């Protein structure tokens, strides 16, 4: 009896340098998660962008007509009750507690950064509270002005930039997963380092173009147009460069 015989065939050893199945799965999972996160951010964008557009179009209440008085920019005199600094997970927050009138309760305002207004304030100082709808978006002391974290015109821009970067990087991961899978299918073991470096550099460049476009303009359509055009140009140049590298290695 031959003990070495077995009803189950022995798995063939994987050639050294062949892309592993774990690498394909990892790239697929990471790419899918990044694209899904970008989709969630984009789904939350329309309301935030609409609010930011309304805020930019708002006028001072003194110039606004009665029907739009609810969306105008208001100014209220207030008195500083206290200032404080909070720390959470190494993040520093600056707070100002103000009192509009003796009949109304005091409320806290979270300032954006350690700005000139927050540094100069002391209990008892008179300040100006700038509001829009139910948001306190700025605090003034004399000629000094400082925005609060409630200012509605910056978060959508950051969310749009992050969403575009996640979408680009996630797409590259998914494309890489397909590339690795094909290389496994043809049992290709040579992975030129130059190709990986070129793709990484192209990803960074495309992400930078998209983020810069989101920060430079308020128009969502213009941002998408610039980002799409930039990505198309970058990937076209990348494809030409990779073909040139492949021809050079084949010679």
């Amino acid at each position: 009896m031959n003990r070495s015989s077995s009803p189950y065939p022995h798995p063939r050893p994987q050639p050294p340098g062949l892309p592993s199945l774990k690498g394909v799965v990892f790239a697929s999972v990471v790419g899918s998660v990044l694209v899904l996160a970008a989709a969630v951010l984009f789904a939350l964008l329309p309301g935030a962008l609409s609010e930011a557009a309304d805020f930019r179009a708002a006028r001072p209440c003194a110039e606004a007509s009665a029907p739009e008085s609810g969306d105008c920019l208001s100014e209220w005199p207030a008195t500083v009750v206290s200032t404080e600094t909070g720390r959470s997970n190494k993040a520093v927050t600056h707070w100002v507690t103000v009192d509009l009138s003796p009949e109304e309760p005091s409320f806290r305002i979270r300032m954006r950064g350690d700005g000139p207004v927050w540094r100069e304030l002391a209990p008892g100082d008179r300040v100006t509270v700038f509001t829009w709808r139910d948001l306190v978006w700025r605090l003034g002391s004399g000629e000094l002005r400082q925005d609060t974290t409630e200012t509605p015109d910056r978060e959508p821009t950051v969310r749009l930039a992050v969403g575009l970067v996640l979408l680009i990087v996630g797409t590259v991961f998914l494309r890489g997963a397909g590339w690795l899978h094909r290389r496994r299918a043809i049992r290709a073991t040579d992975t030129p380092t130059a190709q990986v470096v070129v793709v990484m550099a192209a990803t960074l460049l495309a992400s930078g173009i998209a983020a810069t476009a989101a920060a430079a303009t308020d128009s969502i359509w213009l941002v998408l147009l610039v980002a799409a055009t930039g990505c198309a140009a970058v990937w076209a140049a990348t494809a030409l460069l990779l073909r040139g590298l492949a021809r050079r290695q084949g010679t």
Side-chain angles (χ1 to χ4, degrees), residues 2 8 20 32 44 47 67 69 84 92 113 131-132 146 150 152 164 168 171 190 193 207 210 214 216 218 248 250-251:
N2 187 3
Y8 303 102
S20 66
S32 300
L44 299 175
S69 59
E84 58 182 301
V92 180
T131 63
W132 177 72
Q146 183 178 346
E150 297 293 330
L164 289 173
I168 293 172
T171 303
D190 56 332
T193 304
S207 300
D218 296 329
R248 182 176 300 179
T251 57

Side-chain angles (χ1 to χ4, degrees), residues 3-251:
R3 296 183 179 180
S4 62
S5 62
S6 173
Y8 303 102
H10 293 288
R12 295 181 180 179
Q14 176 175 299
L18 187 68
S20 66
L21 183 60
K22 291 182 178 179
V24 177
V25 174
F26 175 78
S28 300
V29 171
V30 172
S32 300
V33 170
L34 293 180
V35 171
L36 180 59
V40 172
L41 287 176
F42 290 147
L44 299 175
L45 268 178
L49 290 173
S50 176
E51 183 182 55
D54 291 343
F55 174 74
R56 289 191 298 271
R59 297 183 298 169
C61 289
E63 303 175 3
S65 58
E68 63 176 352
S69 59
D71 285 341
C72 62
L73 304 175
S74 304
E75 300 180 15
W76 305 91
T79 303
V80 176
V81 177
S82 64
T83 61
E84 58 182 301
T85 301
R87 289 178 174 83
S88 176
N89 296 329
K90 298 182 180 180
V92 180
T93 57
H94 303 285
W95 298 87
V96 178
T97 301
V98 300
D99 190 1
L100 291 177
S101 67
E103 294 78 16
E104 298 182 8
S106 303
F107 59 93
R108 302 172 74 201
I109 302 172
R110 183 175 177 179
M111 307 303 295
R112 175 167 286 153
D114 181 13
V117 172
W118 189 86
R119 288 195 299 264
E120 297 292 333
L121 293 182
D125 288 349
R126 298 291 293 175
V127 293
T128 302
V129 176
F130 296 85
T131 63
W132 177 72
R133 294 181 179 174
D134 295 329
L135 303 176
V136 177
W137 65 279
R138 177 174 288 179
L139 197 64
S141 176
E143 299 297 326
L144 300 177
R145 300 289 185 269
Q146 183 178 346
D147 289 350
T148 72
T149 56
E150 297 293 330
T151 306
D153 64 338
R154 297 191 181 185
E155 182 181 354
T157 300
V158 175
R159 192 180 300 173
L160 177 60
V162 172
L164 289 173
V165 171
L166 290 178
L167 180 61
I168 293 172
V169 177
T171 303
V172 171
F173 267 94
L174 291 177
R175 181 68 178 83
W179 180 73
L180 291 175
H181 179 70
R182 286 194 301 272
R183 294 185 71 82
R184 280 180 55 83
I186 64 176
R187 305 185 70 80
T189 59
D190 56 332
T191 305
T193 304
Q195 293 185 8
V196 178
V197 173
V198 169
V199 172
M200 291 178 60
T203 303
L204 292 176
L205 180 58
S207 300
I209 293 174
T212 303
T217 179
D218 296 329
S219 174
I220 179 66
W221 298 111
L222 183 58
V223 171
L224 294 179
L225 178 62
V226 172
T229 304
C231 288
V234 169
W235 292 121
T238 302
L240 293 176
L241 182 57
L242 291 178
R243 287 182 182 179
L245 292 175
R247 292 174 182 173
R248 182 176 300 179
Q249 291 175 356
T251 57

